[in-house]
Coordinates of all heavy atoms in Angstrom, one line a residue:
Chain A
P40 N 119.7 111.5 89.2 CA 120.4 111.0 88.0 C 121.4 109.9 88.3 O 122.2 109.9 89.2 CB 121.1 112.4 87.5 CG 120.3 113.3 88.0 CD 119.7 112.9 89.4
K41 N 121.3 108.9 87.4 CA 122.2 107.8 87.5 C 122.1 107.0 88.7 O 123.1 106.3 89.2 CB 123.6 108.2 87.2 CG 123.8 108.7 85.8 CD 125.2 109.1 85.4 CE 125.4 109.6 84.0 NZ 126.7 109.9 83.7
Q42 N 121.0 107.1 89.4 CA 120.9 106.4 90.8 C 119.6 105.5 90.7 O 118.9 105.5 89.8 CB 120.8 107.3 91.9 CG 122.1 108.1 92.1 CD 122.1 108.8 93.4 OE1 121.3 108.5 94.4 NE2 122.9 109.8 93.5
S43 N 119.5 104.7 91.7 CA 118.3 103.8 91.8 C 117.1 104.6 92.2 O 117.1 105.7 92.5 CB 118.6 102.6 92.8 OG 117.7 101.7 92.7
L44 N 116.0 103.8 92.3 CA 114.7 104.4 92.7 C 114.7 104.3 94.2 O 115.0 103.4 94.9 CB 113.5 103.6 92.3 CG 113.2 103.7 90.9 CD1 114.1 103.3 89.8 CD2 111.8 103.1 90.7
M45 N 114.4 105.5 94.8 CA 114.3 105.6 96.2 C 112.9 105.7 96.6 O 112.1 106.6 96.2 CB 115.0 106.8 96.8 CG 115.1 107.0 98.2 SD 115.8 108.6 98.7 CE 114.4 109.8 98.3
L46 N 112.3 104.7 97.4 CA 111.0 104.8 97.9 C 110.8 105.9 98.8 O 111.4 106.2 99.8 CB 110.5 103.5 98.6 CG 109.2 103.4 99.0 CD1 108.1 103.4 97.9 CD2 108.9 102.1 99.8
M47 N 109.7 106.7 98.4 CA 109.3 107.9 99.3 C 108.4 107.6 100.3 O 108.3 107.9 101.4 CB 108.9 109.1 98.4 CG 110.0 109.5 97.4 SD 109.2 110.8 96.3 CE 108.8 112.1 97.6
A48 N 107.2 106.9 99.7 CA 106.1 106.6 100.6 C 105.2 105.6 99.9 O 105.1 105.3 98.7 CB 105.2 108.0 100.7
T49 N 104.4 104.9 100.7 CA 103.4 104.0 100.2 C 102.0 104.7 100.4 O 101.6 105.2 101.5 CB 103.4 102.7 101.1 OG1 104.7 102.2 101.0 CG2 102.3 101.7 100.5
S50 N 101.2 104.7 99.3 CA 99.9 105.4 99.3 C 98.9 104.3 99.4 O 98.9 103.4 98.8 CB 99.8 106.1 97.9 OG 98.5 106.6 97.7
N51 N 98.0 104.6 100.5 CA 97.1 103.7 100.8 C 95.7 104.2 100.5 O 95.3 105.2 101.0 CB 97.1 103.3 102.2 CG 98.5 102.7 102.6 OD1 99.0 101.7 102.1 ND2 99.2 103.3 103.5
E52 N 94.9 103.5 99.7 CA 93.5 104.0 99.4 C 92.7 104.1 100.7 O 92.4 103.3 101.4 CB 92.7 103.0 98.4 CG 91.5 103.5 97.9 CD 90.3 103.1 98.7 OE1 90.4 102.0 99.3 OE2 89.3 103.8 98.6
G53 N 92.2 105.3 100.9 CA 91.3 105.6 101.9 C 91.8 105.8 103.2 O 91.2 106.0 104.4
S54 N 93.2 105.9 103.4 CA 93.8 106.1 104.6 C 95.1 106.9 104.3 O 95.5 107.2 103.1 CB 94.2 104.8 105.2 OG 95.2 104.0 104.5
K55 N 95.8 107.2 105.4 CA 97.1 108.0 105.3 C 98.1 107.2 104.6 O 98.3 106.1 104.8 CB 97.5 108.5 106.7 CG 96.5 109.5 107.3 CD 97.0 110.0 108.7 CE 96.1 111.0 109.3 NZ 96.6 111.5 110.6
A56 N 99.0 108.0 103.9 CA 100.1 107.4 103.4 C 101.1 107.0 104.4 O 101.3 107.7 105.4 CB 100.8 108.3 102.4
T57 N 102.0 106.1 104.1 CA 103.2 105.7 105.0 C 104.4 106.2 104.3 O 104.8 105.9 103.2 CB 103.2 104.1 105.2 OG1 101.9 103.7 105.6 CG2 104.3 103.8 106.1

Side-chain angles (χ1 to χ4, degrees):
Chain A
K41 299 186 179 181
Q42 293 191 23
S43 187
L44 281 68
M45 181 188 77
L46 181 64
M47 298 174 65
T49 303
S50 173
N51 304 297
E52 188 267 334
S54 64
K55 291 184 180 180
T57 305

